[in-house]
Amino acid sequence: MNRIRWNAAVVLALALPSAAPAQTFGQFTGATPLPVNGHMVGAYLQSSENVLGLLGQLRLSFYPNVDFGFAGGFAREDFTGGDRTTLRLGTDLKYQVMAPTTEYPFGVSIGGALGVETGDDFSLLSMGPTAVGSRTFQGSGNVSFTPFIGSGLLFSRVDAGSQSDSDVSIPFNIGSEVRFNPQLTLTGELQLKLSDDFNDDVGFSIGINSPF
């Protein structure tokens, strides 16, 4: 029995990728949700030691202090057994529990995220609660800066061939939005993936957000 378990573990280790997404894919925005009936699109380049990917996002709001997003894209990943291209799909919900005020200029939102990554004989499902905090600093003219930090508790399950495994991780996304005008925001973040057996430990993303 021990030999069977050991062989199964070896097969699974060889089948698993060296990296995959988290949070499930990134924070990309601060804690403040979109206004009611607001819309936003985003595009991001994501990279880490073993991953290079492109991701797009659409965010919407139909209720005060709440917005939600849909994300999709592709990634090229270095697997132990060779490179592979995967499809990424995800969604998340964000609810503001603390709005910035003059006395306390910080915003805090909580929510949840769900992400799926799939490729040839491989799939990874991640889900869990999330939280993000941010503060906006006004610069000259229309320029503003919004540093943020997001985290979550992700439960993940990977299926590779006939093998499967599960994991619990705590991703941290630390970054900032830089708004040059009402229609263009540059965003970048450092992604730290603590206790994550399925991903690179450190990743980085950069992209743009634009309301419409």
Side-chain angles (χ1 to χ4, degrees):
M1 180 63 69
N2 289 336
R3 182 178 179 82
I4 294 175
R5 290 178 178 175
W6 172 254
N7 289 338
V10 170
V11 171
L12 181 60
L14 293 175
L16 289 177
S18 300
Q23 207 276 296
T24 61
F25 301 112
Q27 184 61 51
F28 307 128
T29 64
T32 303
L34 293 172
V36 176
N37 296 324
H39 311 81
M40 186 199 78
V41 293
Y44 319 101
L45 175 66
Q46 299 183 297
S47 64
S48 64
E49 181 181 358
N50 297 288
V51 177
L52 181 64
L54 290 173
L55 191 72
Q57 178 182 210
L58 170 65
R59 296 200 72 83
L60 309 167
S61 177
F62 300 121
Y63 194 80
N65 301 319
V66 177
D67 70 3
F68 58 95
F70 302 95
F74 296 91
R76 186 66 175 174
E77 307 188 9
D78 295 333
F79 282 70
T80 302
D83 294 350
R84 185 176 300 175
T85 299
T86 59
L87 170 67
R88 294 175 167 184
L89 298 172
T91 184
D92 75 281
L93 176 72
K94 184 169 64 180
Y95 170 64
Q96 188 174 50
V97 295
M98 181 182 297
T101 64
T102 303
E103 295 77 15
Y104 193 81
F106 298 92
V108 177
S109 290
I110 60 174
L114 169 68
V116 176
E117 183 169 12
T118 182
D120 185 19
D121 209 19
F122 166 80
S123 67
L124 174 63
L125 172 67
S126 299
M127 66 179 70
T130 61
V132 56
S134 65
R135 177 179 179 179
T136 298
F137 299 89
Q138 189 63 44
S140 60
N142 293 323
V143 178
S144 64
F145 304 85
T146 305
F148 59 78
I149 179 169
S151 186
L153 182 64
L154 286 186
F155 303 88
S156 301
R157 180 177 178 83
V158 64
D159 292 290
S162 60
Q163 305 298 319
S164 62
D165 198 4
S166 58
D167 183 41
V168 178
S169 61
I170 306 174
F172 281 91
N173 301 308
I174 305 168
S176 180
E177 293 181 282
V178 182
R179 176 165 293 183
F180 297 100
N181 59 61
Q183 300 302 319
L184 180 62
T185 300
L186 178 67
T187 180
E189 67 184 64
L190 179 68
Q191 300 171 335
L192 307 176
K193 305 160 188 178
L194 306 182
S195 303
D196 196 329
D197 293 336
F198 302 154
N199 302 284
D200 287 336
D201 294 332
V202 180
F204 183 77
S205 71
I206 187 170
I208 57 172
N209 293 320
S210 179
F212 65 96

